[in-house]
């Protein structure tokens, strides 16, 4: 029986996001603006990125501390060479009952089969617009939305459980809410609308650019009949709805308008092995140093436990009290 550790607000450590790379083939303006993440941007050198063996060891230790869910992310996780090999190792870990991956989807037509065969069966795929020209602009690399839609189709055919995530920005892609809802309802795929968040320091966020769940709900309910669905488990992040008379679902991730820190059971590990107890943290705790200095498993678990026990993060609950100049980590580094 694995131990369960809790933080300063009695929140258990239940899920873990692991970033496998800080690099990406997109330059979404709200995450990695091209002006900042240009050719000279100092991405992590290879020797600073955790090896698969190091990730596997950490994942085992977190599982022994009660983690049940692992999600791989990035940057763009599908850029990490040999990823199926890592997935194979992680799915074998005792106590891990749920493995997922978040991706921009572009490499799925090529890699989905290998990933599925390695034991990955859940994907969150990001797509912010169906409209070709808009999507090309939003991803900062001129990539066609068809490439992602084909990736989604390929993953569906293989039997992946898929959710599509759309970050909605006011005046940018809010007119795509209805076409996206229609398209994914017809495919029976859950679409989740994410409120634009003030992660990192470089995406020019302000409250005027946020379209809240309430506003999105109004837009959707003027076109569709939708009804709420109960949360499936404690700490489920999305507020769920379904189209009446259909099994297709919608979800809202309301980090800005209705924060959910009180049920936040998630830890994050950056590609270079730092542990972050909040998406909006300024500093991480270096676990790589322990992985590489001969520390025992017990020492590392004690360190993680002590960090989690002291955790008091509630950034979104307190958003309006924060000083705007407080330095935060970037989304592409910690993986959302
Ligand atoms: N590259 C992968 C992708 O885009 O799915 C994985 C990493 S990405 C950082 C993880 C998720 O964070 C994506 O769904 C992305 O849309 C979301 N995201 C990035 N910046 C965001 C922001 N400022 N506000 C809300 N969501 C954001
Ligand atoms: Fe890359 Fe994902 Fe960030 Fe877009 S949201 S720049 S795809 S890491
Ligand atoms: Fe969790 Fe931090 Fe987000 Fe609150 S702001 S839900 S503590 S990650």
């Amino acid at each position: 029986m694995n131990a369960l550790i809790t933080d300063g607000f009695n929140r258990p450590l239940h899920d873990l996001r692991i970033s496998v790379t800080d690099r990406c083939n997109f330059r979404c303006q709200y995450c990695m603006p091209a002006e900042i993440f240009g050719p000279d941007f100092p991405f992590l050198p290879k020797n600073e990125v955790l090896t698969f063996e190091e990730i596997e060891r950490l994942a085992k230790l977190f599982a022994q501390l009660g983690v049940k869910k692992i999600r791989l992310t990035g940057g763009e996780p599908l850029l990490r060479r040999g990823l199926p090999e890592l997935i194979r190792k992680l799915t074998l870990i005792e106590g891990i009952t749920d493995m997922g991956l978040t991706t921009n989807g572009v490499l799925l037509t090529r890699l989905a089969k290998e990933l599925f065969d390695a034991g990955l069966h859940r994907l969150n795929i990001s797509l912010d617009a169906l409209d070709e020209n808009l999507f090309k602009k939003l991803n900062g690399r001129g990539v066609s939305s068809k490439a992602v839609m084909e990736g989604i189709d390929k993953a569906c055919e293989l039997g992946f459980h898929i959710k599509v995530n759309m970050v909605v920005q006011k005046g940018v892609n809010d007119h795509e809410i209805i076409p996206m809802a229609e398209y994914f309802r017809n495919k029976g795929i859950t679409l989740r609308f994410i409120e634009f968040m003030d992660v990192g320091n470089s995406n020019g966020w302000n409250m005027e650019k946020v379209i809240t769940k309430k506003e999105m709900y109004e837009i959707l309910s003027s076109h569709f009949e939708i009804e709420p669905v109960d949360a499936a488990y404690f700490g489920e992040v999305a507020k769920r709805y379904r189209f009446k008379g259909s099994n297709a679902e919608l979800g809202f991730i309301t980090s800005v308008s209705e924060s959910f820190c009180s049920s936040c059971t998630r830890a994050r590990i950056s590609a270079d092995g730092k542990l972050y107890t909040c998406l909006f943290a300024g500093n991480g705790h270096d676990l790589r140093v322990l992985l590489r200095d001969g520390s025992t498993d017990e020492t590392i678990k004690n360190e993680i436990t002590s960090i989690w026990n002291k955790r008091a993060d509630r950034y979104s609950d307190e958003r309006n009290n924060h000083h705007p100049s407080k330095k935060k980590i970037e989304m592409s580094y910690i993986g959302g």
Side-chain angles (χ1 to χ4, degrees), residues 75-95:
E76 174 44 46
L78 300 190
L79 289 182
R80 179 80 190 250
R81 213 169 282 158
L83 195 66
E85 184 193 329
L86 176 67
I87 287 164
R88 228 168 268 122
K89 289 178 197 288
L90 298 183
T91 48
L92 292 175
I93 294 175
E94 200 189 324

Side-chain angles (χ1 to χ4, degrees), residues 11 260-261 264 268 277-280 311 313-316:
R11 296 170 293 191
F260 37 78
C261 299
C264 178
R268 295 175 161 87
T277 56
C278 178
L279 186 53
F280 298 90
R311 177 184 191 240
D313 304 290
R314 297 173 52 228
Y315 180 92
S316 289

